[in-house]
Amino acid sequence: MITSTRPRAVSGSRSGSRTARLHTSPAAMSRTLARLRRTLQDPLLVRAGQAMVPTPRALALREEAAAVVQRLGALLSPDTGVDPATLRSTFTLQTADLVGAALAPGLLRLAEQEAPGVSFRLRAEEWEAGPALRDGRIDLEVGSIDHVEPETRVEELVSLRMVAAVRPGHPLTEGPLTPARLAAAQHVAVSRRGRFTGPLDAALAEQDLQRRVGIVLPSHLAAMTLAARSDVVCLVPAAPPGAAPSPLTGDAIALGLHLLDIPLTLPPVTVGMAWHPRHAADRAHHWLRNAIRRTLRTPASPAPSTT
């Protein structure tokens, strides 16, 4: 049997029904066809008796036009998700060194498992987060979020408490720790702005006590390293009693520091993340935020109990 390859004719009645399905009038369709003929310099449809048949140029354009329409439909349809394995992105995070050190292993592990095309750039807290988020210089701020622009989205991740960290064999590890003994020890303070005082000083002042701060450092990791090599006391964030260990305590444990409960009421330390609303619906950024949640809320290695 031989199959004809001639262009199939379109009868007038069928042409009218197809025009109706396109939700346009015959006159409007005629004007559209006229514009296409002028643009393409081809008649596209020609009369064959009582019907219209497509020209070879029209037949050649049909499949390509259908593919373009399909691509446009996918582009304009709601973003329903993204496969992390297809991501090719570098995310820039601004965070304190201690938070960055806690985040890095977990983020690298998740990227290796789920999104091997993702990489991370961690920056120190050198920019004011609000404008940096707004300008797109950073994708996320992670840490103590206390200075944001009105439009900034903020999510609290974990609430921690501060404990005293000292080297093994430090005099404070012998006997009960009292406010007076804590105040009498030499301390290292951590402040990017060089401040000597903080919430611990306010709590000691209520007991008519004042601690001795011998040095102020801009880095938590440097302060913990100093505490591991000397008799200074540094403050470290830790999980509340009875909760799973926090990844933010991991470096203190790795340095062999002994963690001591502070016999004073101190405000909790809340670690959160902040981002600009331009990223609220972005699926790649959604994966990033979820990775941050999973990393900071994942228990760290078992920590020695505080005393």
Side-chain angles (χ1 to χ4, degrees):
M1 182 176 70
I2 300 175
T3 303
S4 174
T5 59
R6 288 183 302 169
R8 189 170 54 184
V10 180
S11 67
S13 60
R14 291 179 60 192
S15 176
S17 63
R18 292 184 180 183
T19 300
R21 286 200 300 269
L22 292 173
H23 304 290
T24 185
S25 66
M29 181 59 71
S30 178
R31 289 193 295 271
T32 300
L33 180 59
R35 286 196 298 270
L36 287 173
R37 284 169 168 166
R38 288 194 299 270
T39 301
L40 299 174
Q41 297 184 354
D42 187 274
L44 298 177
L45 288 173
V46 296
R47 185 168 296 280
Q50 297 299 316
M52 303 292 289
V53 296
T55 65
R57 180 71 189 279
L59 290 173
L61 289 173
R62 182 171 57 185
E63 291 186 3
E64 185 175 348
V68 170
V69 170
Q70 185 176 11
R71 289 196 297 270
L72 282 173
L75 180 64
L76 298 176
S77 63
D79 187 5
T80 57
V82 63
D83 181 4
T86 65
L87 292 178
R88 299 293 182 270
S89 301
T90 296
F91 294 115
T92 301
L93 284 66
Q94 178 165 288
T95 182
D97 64 328
L98 184 60
V99 178
L103 281 173
L107 290 179
L108 286 175
R109 182 176 62 254
L110 288 175
E112 182 179 355
Q113 294 171 352
E114 303 174 10
V118 165
S119 57
F120 305 94
R121 180 189 296 112
L122 270 64
R123 303 191 65 103
E125 297 174 298
E126 56 187 345
W127 289 328
E128 186 178 348
L133 289 169
R134 178 187 296 158
D135 298 342
R137 287 174 286 171
I138 60 176
D139 297 298
L140 269 180
E141 181 191 15
V142 186
S144 179
I145 311 297
D146 56 1
H147 49 280
V148 295
E149 301 296 325
E151 74 271 18
T152 303
R153 305 285 181 87
V154 178
E155 178 182 334
E156 294 184 0
L157 296 170
V158 291
S159 183
L160 306 172
R161 61 184 177 129
M162 299 304 291
V163 298
V166 296
R167 65 168 178 81
H170 190 283
L172 290 184
T173 62
E174 302 173 2
L177 180 61
T178 64
R181 293 186 67 205
L182 180 62
Q186 182 160 310
H187 291 250
V188 54
V190 178
S191 172
R192 291 185 295 113
R193 298 178 177 86
R195 296 172 179 169
F196 278 77
T197 60
L200 177 57
D201 301 278
L204 287 171
E206 293 181 359
Q207 305 285 327
D208 293 326
L209 296 170
Q210 184 177 355
R211 65 171 176 162
R212 296 188 298 140
V213 177
I215 187 170
V216 179
L217 296 176
S219 162
H220 293 85
L221 295 176
M224 290 191 297
T225 301
L226 178 61
R229 297 176 178 176
S230 67
D231 279 344
V232 300
V233 179
C234 74
L235 299 183
V236 173
S246 168
L248 273 74
T249 318
D251 288 289
I253 297 168
L255 286 168
L257 293 173
H258 195 85
L259 306 182
L260 305 173
D261 283 331
I262 296 175
L264 295 163
T265 301
L266 299 178
V269 176
T270 300
V271 177
M273 59 181 171
W275 65 94
H276 194 271
R278 74 158 68 89
H279 296 304
D282 180 68
R283 306 308 295 180
H285 203 274
H286 183 272
W287 179 88
L288 171 65
R289 300 195 301 270
N290 193 40
I292 297 292
R293 294 184 193 102
R294 287 184 284 167
T295 299
L296 286 185
R297 291 170 180 169
T298 298
S301 301
S305 59
T306 57
T307 57

